[in-house]
Amino acid sequence: MDWTPGAVAALRERFDLPFVRADREGLVVEFNDRFGTIYGWDSSLLGETLGMILPEEFRELHHAGFARFQITESSQVVNHPLELATICADGSVIRSEHFIVAEKDSKEGWSFAATLRPLEGPHAC
Amino acid sequence: MPAEGFEPHPETSALVKQLRQSLGLLRVAFDATGEAMLIVDSGHQVRWVNQTAADLWGGGLPLRVVGKPLEALLRLRHLDQRLLTLSDPQHPLNQARLGEGQASLLVQAIVALAGDESDVLQRMVSWRPISELGGVFTLLTFRDLEPLEKSLQQQRAFINTLAHELRTPLAILTGSLRRLERKSDLAQPLDRALGDAIDETKRMAALVDKLLILSELDTDHFHWNLKRAPLRDFLDRWLHSLEPDKRPSVSLQINESISTCWVDLDQVALTRILNTLFENSLIDGSEGLVLCVDECRSSGFVDVVVGFNSAEMAGNQQLSRQGSRFSSDEPEQAQGDWNASNLGFSVVNNLVAGMGGMLLSNSTPMETSINGYDSVTLRFPVVAPD
C-alpha cells in the first residue's frame, strides 16, 4: 500500500482547499469550513457514507472499492489527482479534482482523507 | 468540523461488515480475472467495470471508465477491420437484445487524453443481457484467445486461403472443358466422359464455394449486410432472382396476419440459403419448394417453413400436414451431426444463425426428403418497423 504517515494531517493543514476525512468504514468523520462553504454541507453529513458526495453512478464503485480495500489494503485511487463530480448538499454538481490519501493508525485503523479542488463555479481554483 | 460519537446498532453494524466483506471478496475475484468485463446500460453508458477493463480503457482506474459512453472508450471491428458501429445490428449491444452470444472481434482502445487510438487487440467478445436489475443492462466480456482457439483460427484461415486458391484453377478448368465441349465433335463414349467431367467440375466448384462461405462465417470474414424490411420483400426478391423456368417450382404461402412483419436480414445470405435448399431439393428428387410463412409460437419470431415438394403430394396437402404437425410438436433445432453429412445444410445453418435466427428440422419417414427431413423451419426474430 502506497501511503505516507502524517498524510492526512498534511492535507488538513491546507486551509485553502476543502478537506474531508472518513474513517475505516468510509463514514465521514470530519470536514473543514471551506468544504462546507463551497459544497454546502453541514454537520448532517457527519456519520454518513462518503458516497453521499459522489454521483450515483460512482457509488457502487466506491462501496465495492472500499470493501475491496478492507481485504487487500491496496487501492489505485490514492495519491493521484482525480477529476470527479462532487455532489453538493442541494443536489447540484461541481466538477472537482480530488486528491485522496490513506493512513493507518495503530488505534483506529485506516483513515481516508481528500482535498477537493473545485474546477468550476465561483470558487474554482 | 469533526464528528461527535456515532455508533450504529450492533446488529446493523455486523450485517454491514459481513456484506462489505462479501462485496470485497467478489470485487477481488472479478479484479483477478484476466477477462475484461463491463456492464453497459440501455443508454450505452458503462455502469460497472472490473480491473482488467479499467487497465485496458481507463489507465488502470475504474473511475475513468464508469459513466462513460462505450463508444468513448473503445472501438470494435470485424476481423477484416470493418468498423462495427453502434448502429450495426451485428454490434454486441444490439445482438444482446436477441440473447447471449459471442464473436471474435478486434478491439481498439481510445486513449482519452491523447484523443488517439491504441493497438488493436483480437478478443473473444461475449454478451449477455441482464434484466434482473430493474433495467436493461448488458454484460460484455472480452477474453484473450486461448492457444487452442488460436490454433483453430489458424486452421480456419488456412482453409479459407485454400478455398480461395482452389477457386481460380477450378474456374479455368470449367472454362476449358466448356470450350472443348463447344469446339470438338467427340465420339459417343468420349462425349459422355467430357459431360461427366464438366458436371463433376461444377460440383467441385460448388463445394469449394460452400467451403469458402463456411470458412468466412467461421472466421467472421463474411460480409454481413443486414437490412430491416418486411419479410415478404426479402422472399419476393429471392423469387424474382430465380430463373424464369424455375419459378413455377416454388410456391409461396404467407399467413396474411403476419404478411407485414419486419425482420433484419441479409438479402444475399437469404438468397444463398433458399438457393441451397432449392438445389438440394432438386438433387434429392423433389419437384421444388413450398415456402409457408407463419407465426411462431414463441412470441417475437416468425417461421419460414420450407417444405420439399414431392410428386406424391400436392402443395396444399403438404402444407396442411405441416400445419397439423406444428400445432402438436415443435420442430427441433438442427444438430451438429447433420451438418457434417451435407455441406449445403451446414452453410444454411450457419447463415441463419448469423442473422440471429435458428434452423429447425422436421423428420418423418417420407419417400421424398432432404437428408431425412421433409421440411425445415427458418426462424427469425421479428423487429419493429423502421
Side-chain angles (χ1 to χ4, degrees):
Chain A
M1 174 63 199
D2 184 18
W3 61 279
T4 316
V8 171
L11 276 198
R12 189 189 285 116
E13 284 162 17
R14 297 201 57 182
F15 296 112
D16 55 329
L17 285 177
F19 166 87
V20 60
R21 184 169 74 88
D23 66 8
R24 64 179 186 275
E25 305 293 334
L27 304 177
V28 178
V29 291
E30 177 187 357
F31 58 83
N32 66 4
D33 290 341
R34 189 97 177 114
F35 179 86
T37 304
I38 294 175
Y39 298 102
W41 290 100
D42 59 22
S43 60
S44 63
L45 184 65
L46 297 172
E48 296 290 344
T49 168
L50 263 180
M52 293 283 284
I53 65 166
L54 295 175
E56 200 179 331
E57 66 264 29
F58 287 109
R59 285 180 195 161
E60 193 284 328
L61 190 64
H62 166 74
H63 294 310
F66 232 93
R68 183 185 189 280
F69 185 86
Q70 305 281 338
I71 294 167
T72 63
E73 296 200 337
S74 72
S75 169
Q76 299 207 5
V77 299
V78 297
N79 301 331
H80 301 288
L82 293 169
E83 194 178 313
L84 284 170
T86 307
I87 306 294
C88 303
D90 63 1
S92 60
V93 177
I94 297 177
R95 201 161 47 84
S96 315
E97 185 187 86
H98 295 219
F99 190 88
I100 306 167
V101 296
E103 191 176 301
K104 198 173 190 179
D105 182 271
S106 57
K107 191 175 155 201
E108 293 184 1
W110 285 100
S111 178
F112 306 90
T115 51
L116 290 79
R117 184 191 298 276
L119 300 172
E120 59 188 5
H123 302 284
C125 55
Chain B
M1 190 177 290
E4 290 171 18
F6 174 78
E7 284 300 324
H9 193 280
E11 277 184 25
T12 310
S13 182
L15 181 63
V16 168
K17 193 174 175 185
Q18 195 180 357
L19 287 172
R20 177 170 285 168
Q21 193 174 28
S22 302
L23 181 60
L25 287 169
L26 275 174
R27 187 73 218 188
V28 168
F30 281 124
D31 286 348
T33 177
E35 298 177 357
M37 301 166 95
L38 298 167
I39 293 179
V40 182
D41 65 19
S42 56
H44 302 152
Q45 285 210 326
V46 176
R47 296 290 293 267
W48 181 90
V49 284
N50 72 346
Q51 189 57 48
T52 307
D55 290 340
L56 283 171
W57 303 303
L61 291 173
L63 284 168
R64 289 193 181 139
V65 182
V66 171
K68 297 266 188 343
L70 187 67
E71 64 268 29
L73 299 171
L74 58 99
R75 284 209 177 91
L76 296 177
R77 291 178 186 276
H78 291 280
L79 294 184
D80 61 3
Q81 300 284 342
R82 277 177 301 128
L83 193 62
L84 194 52
T85 60
L86 275 169
S87 58
D88 191 325
Q90 292 294 306
H91 192 284
L93 292 182
N94 298 325
Q95 286 287 305
R97 290 181 199 153
L98 306 172
E100 55 186 286
Q102 62 174 27
S104 186
L105 296 172
L106 299 176
V107 185
Q108 191 171 28
I110 298 168
V111 184
L113 292 176
D116 208 354
E117 290 175 349
S118 65
D119 292 342
V120 177
L121 305 168
Q122 187 176 339
R123 290 287 182 272
M124 183 60 78
V125 183
S126 307
W127 51 88
R128 184 179 196 158
I130 309 168
S131 53
E132 292 86 3
L133 301 177
V136 180
F137 299 92
T138 306
L139 168 65
L140 294 175
T141 308
F142 300 76
R143 183 167 55 82
D144 195 3
L145 297 184
E146 289 170 6
L148 185 62
E149 286 173 314
K150 280 183 182 161
S151 156
L152 267 175
Q153 205 157 56
Q154 280 172 350
Q155 197 179 325
R156 285 166 178 162
F158 170 73
I159 291 172
N160 190 272
T161 310
L162 185 68
H164 269 294
E165 292 295 324
L166 280 172
R167 258 183 154 184
T168 310
L170 274 172
I172 294 168
L173 195 57
T174 308
S176 302
L177 287 170
R178 286 198 183 286
R179 208 160 46 245
L180 199 60
E181 188 186 33
R182 279 200 307 274
K183 302 278 179 191
S184 63
D185 189 16
L186 295 170
Q188 186 62 20
L190 283 175
D191 187 36
R192 207 174 59 206
L194 181 61
D196 287 348
I198 290 169
D199 287 347
E200 287 307 307
T201 314
K202 264 172 70 179
R203 209 165 70 85
M204 211 186 299
L207 281 173
V208 168
D209 205 32
K210 290 185 176 85
L211 192 64
L212 189 63
I213 291 172
L214 274 179
S215 161
E216 284 177 350
L217 287 163
D218 264 352
T219 53
D220 197 29
H221 278 77
F222 189 85
H223 287 214
W224 289 105
N225 185 20
L226 292 173
K227 293 263 165 63
R228 184 163 293 191
L231 175 60
R232 165 138 223 161
D233 292 0
F234 286 110
L235 295 173
D236 284 343
R237 276 197 286 271
W238 172 67
L239 274 174
H240 286 112
S241 73
L242 288 174
E243 289 167 27
D245 62 317
K246 286 182 178 168
R247 268 182 227 161
S249 306
V250 179
S251 162
L252 176 60
Q253 300 191 6
I254 297 188
N255 179 340
E256 281 310 310
S257 65
I258 54 158
S259 61
T260 54
C261 78
W262 286 55
V263 286
D264 282 336
L265 292 181
D266 180 323
Q267 184 67 52
V268 174
L270 183 71
T271 298
R272 190 169 280 280
I273 288 167
L274 295 173
N275 281 347
T276 305
L277 291 173
F278 192 31
E279 284 161 18
N280 279 19
S281 76
L282 296 177
I283 292 167
D284 285 22
S286 165
E287 293 187 341
L289 294 184
V290 182
L291 301 183
C292 174
V293 181
D294 210 345
E295 202 168 1
C296 167
R297 262 203 235 152
S298 319
S299 62
F301 291 88
V302 62
D303 282 348
V304 181
V305 182
V306 184
F308 306 116
N309 200 5
S310 70
E312 294 78 17
M313 202 177 291
N316 284 341
Q317 283 174 312
Q318 184 166 359
L319 282 172
S320 66
R321 190 178 153 191
Q322 283 163 358
S324 64
R325 187 182 312 122
F326 281 100
S327 63
S328 55
D329 296 304
E330 271 286 278
E332 292 179 357
Q333 186 154 10
Q335 298 299 309
D337 57 350
W338 73 310
N339 295 341
S341 66
N342 186 315
L343 213 51
F345 270 96
S346 194
V347 168
V348 169
N349 200 8
N350 281 279
L351 285 173
V352 171
M355 293 187 286
M358 269 185 286
L359 180 66
L360 305 146
S361 63
N362 284 285
S363 66
T364 53
M366 281 189 65
E367 203 170 315
T368 302
S369 65
I370 309 295
N371 274 36
Y373 302 97
D374 60 308
S375 71
V376 292
T377 301
L378 314 176
R379 179 168 291 174
F380 296 112
V382 174
V383 296
D386 266 344

